[in-house]
Amino acid sequence: MGSMPYKKLEQLNVTCNSNNVVVEIGSENGEGSSVWLYEWAKKHNIDFYSVDVEHRLREQTYPHINWVVAKSGSTWCKNILSGLNKTIKVLYLDNFDWIWDSNNIAPYCQIQINNYAARGVVMNNQNCQAEHRLQVEYCLPYLDKQAVVIMDDTFYNNGIWDGKCATAIPLLLENGFTMRGSEYATRGCK
């Protein structure tokens, strides 16, 4: 279980209205992010969507959550997001797995690589970053004036952004977001 950066929402002064939604791209696989974000959205009286590339047991365990299965997160953002007629208050990017050591692939990582290949996708860090950049690009027009973008497995090392969302961060900064550490960016929040 990771650092759970989505829980930092509790530290922010975020104002929600009925036109807002929470979008998670990369549904949980038992670590709790989807359920936590659903509960946060419910507490703030807004809708929650969890987008993933595959069906899992979670859909039967939590049938009240809006589980969405799509070819990719960016495909959903490009083709479906506008039809919600909502603005994104919170965007959690926790999809397309990051390979931590490409010179020493752990067995669990090789299984992930094989699963991606079965879907016709090459799992590597360049494709991971490209997918996250596309997701942010397609979400930007729908991000609320006061919004939070939470980024999994993204880090700042020796003056360089790296990890899943490294190539998406410049887009956020160009659009009025401020990085708050390496896990999330905000616009209009205190």
Side-chain angles (χ1 to χ4, degrees), residues 11-152:
Q11 301 169 11
L12 297 173
N13 184 12
V14 179
T15 304
C16 300
N17 64 55
S18 61
N19 191 46
N20 296 143
V21 294
V22 174
V23 174
E24 173 187 48
I25 304 177
S27 303
E28 74 169 72
N29 196 17
E31 72 279 357
S33 63
S34 301
V35 173
W36 194 94
L37 288 165
Y38 167 79
E39 292 296 334
W40 188 91
K42 185 176 169 186
K43 186 168 83 173
H44 290 83
N45 297 311
I46 61 176
D47 292 333
F48 170 69
Y49 294 85
S50 186
V51 181
D52 204 284
V53 296
E54 61 186 2
H55 292 282
R56 294 190 190 141
L57 181 61
R58 64 181 177 242
E59 296 164 30
Q60 296 168 9
T61 307
Y62 302 101
H64 51 281
I65 292 178
N66 290 320
W67 303 110
V68 179
V69 175
K71 181 179 178 186
S72 70
S74 62
T75 300
W76 183 85
C77 295
K78 180 180 180 183
N79 299 326
I80 305 300
L81 181 57
S82 64
L84 298 180
N85 295 314
K86 302 274 186 173
T87 59
I88 301 170
K89 182 58 72 170
V90 176
L91 175 62
Y92 182 38
L93 301 173
D94 184 14
N95 65 108
F96 207 115
D97 296 295
W98 184 254
I99 299 173
W100 291 98
D101 185 353
S102 59
N103 296 317
N104 186 20
I105 304 292
Y108 80 90
C109 190
Q110 188 59 56
I111 291 169
Q112 291 175 318
I113 291 169
N114 296 343
N115 289 342
Y116 277 62
R119 294 194 318 268
V121 177
V122 176
M123 182 181 148
N124 63 38
N125 291 347
Q126 294 77 22
N127 289 344
C128 174
Q129 289 178 336
E131 175 63 16
H132 282 84
R133 188 182 192 294
L134 279 174
Q135 291 167 13
V136 169
E137 181 180 322
Y138 295 140
C139 286
L140 272 171
Y142 306 101
L143 285 166
D144 197 67
K145 290 179 182 178
Q146 183 201 51
V148 180
V149 178
I150 306 165
M151 297 165 276
D152 182 59

Side-chain angles (χ1 to χ4, degrees), residues 154-162 182:
T154 302
F155 45 95
Y156 193 69
N157 191 13
N158 295 322
I160 299 172
W161 286 106
D162 206 353
S182 62

